[in-house]
Amino acid sequence: MRCISIKRLKIHELEATLRYLHKDDQVWTRKSAIYGEIQDKAIKSFVVFLGKIVIAYLIATSLRNGNELALKVSNFEASVPAAFFLFAVSLLLLISAMAFNHLSAAMTLKNSLATKIKLIGFSVNAYDLLQNRSDNALGVPVVINPFFREALPISSMLAHLLLIAMFTILVPIVAFGYYVFDELVMLGMNSQISAPERISAFAGAAITILSAMYVVLFHLPLPVIKNTKGIRWGFLYSLPPHPSDQEKFSRWSRS
């Protein structure tokens, strides 16, 4: 039985959709521009969510007063139940997990395209730099030179260490997620708060677990089976007198 991850299926979904577009979008240079733009937007979106997580952590730890979050400025004072705020934070973690999965798929898409071109001395990173789509290509420790081989694999070691360093950014996010989960469980078991607060706490704890499961299951290869019925009817439907998929898409896009 074959195993395919949801991430791989989503990448295939995008590539299949791109094939319906204009033929100019099928050339390598155009694909590189499209995938690079998707990756850049994904990076910016994920960084924004990281900033929101940091702000949420500062609020949760600095304004906490028992079962509430209280803010007092001069004669003005406002408070909100901690369970409600942490429930909103759990939703933020879930959306951040979606943003991370999107970024992971976008980076894999861009890297897989880079491996499809085989030209002596051609560097995809240098190409992106020349096309003004990269700001640090010359600092990436990936060297393409068929005439020399390093006596010590320094460049590959640096590349792996850089990749590990990038993934360490997930450590404080996981730690914060555990903190939110632990606080929500404690609030849910607290009989001194109202029922809506306890329900929100348990719901937030479940959403926090879902966020972690979502990231893992999105990347984990899962067993799949062939949809023979769908394949059979899809093939029969594409035969004349039915129009082809390209013709149907062209009619739809012009309508």
Side-chain angles (χ1 to χ4, degrees), residues 135-212:
D135 297 326
N136 55 3
L138 296 180
V140 176
V142 177
V143 180
I144 300 177
N145 194 316
F147 303 104
F148 297 97
R149 184 171 62 89
E150 293 176 304
L152 297 175
I154 301 299
S155 62
S156 59
M157 182 186 68
L158 289 175
H160 285 90
L161 290 176
L162 182 62
L163 183 63
I164 294 174
M166 291 177 61
F167 274 96
T168 55
I169 197 173
L170 298 177
V171 174
I173 298 178
V174 173
F176 179 59
Y178 177 78
Y179 165 80
V180 171
F181 173 77
D182 185 58
E183 291 294 322
L184 285 169
V185 171
M186 292 179 61
L187 287 171
M189 298 177 64
N190 189 346
S191 59
Q192 298 180 355
I193 62 178
S194 63
E197 292 179 49
R198 297 181 66 183
I199 294 174
S200 298
F202 282 124
I207 293 174
T208 304
I209 295 177
L210 173 61
S211 302

Side-chain angles (χ1 to χ4, degrees), residues 6-153:
I6 300 175
K7 173 182 172 180
R8 180 62 249 177
L9 292 175
K10 295 300 294 184
I11 291 175
H12 174 73
E13 183 180 281
L14 189 144
E15 292 176 330
T17 302
L18 186 61
R19 286 196 290 268
Y20 283 98
L21 302 181
H22 197 273
K23 291 183 178 180
D24 291 342
D25 292 329
Q26 307 305 313
V27 297
W28 187 91
T29 53
R30 179 57 182 156
K31 279 187 176 182
S32 178
I34 294 174
Y35 294 170
E37 184 178 354
I38 293 174
Q39 178 180 268
D40 292 341
K41 289 182 178 180
I43 293 174
K44 293 178 182 178
S45 176
F46 185 63
V47 169
V48 169
F49 281 111
L50 285 180
K52 293 180 179 179
I53 289 175
V54 171
I55 294 174
Y57 173 76
L58 294 176
I59 294 175
T61 54
S62 61
L63 302 182
R64 182 74 178 271
N65 184 15
N67 297 326
E68 294 183 340
L69 294 176
L71 176 63
K72 185 175 182 180
V73 179
S74 186
N75 295 327
F76 174 80
E77 183 175 357
S79 62
V80 62
F84 292 162
F85 177 79
L86 292 177
F87 172 77
V89 172
S90 69
L91 293 177
L92 175 62
L93 290 174
L94 178 60
I95 300 175
S96 299
M98 296 175 63
F100 174 76
N101 289 343
H102 175 66
L103 173 59
S104 175
M107 295 180 67
T108 301
L109 193 66
K110 185 70 167 61
N111 292 334
S112 63
L113 182 68
T115 60
K116 292 180 180 179
I117 186 167
K118 304 295 182 181
L119 297 174
I120 297 178
F122 183 87
S123 169
V124 176
N125 292 325
Y127 174 79
D128 288 339
L129 179 64
L130 295 173
Q131 297 297 318
N132 296 321
R133 292 198 293 266
S134 176
D135 297 326
N136 55 3
L138 296 180
V140 176
V142 177
V143 180
I144 300 177
N145 194 316
F147 303 104
F148 297 97
R149 184 171 62 89
E150 293 176 304
L152 297 175

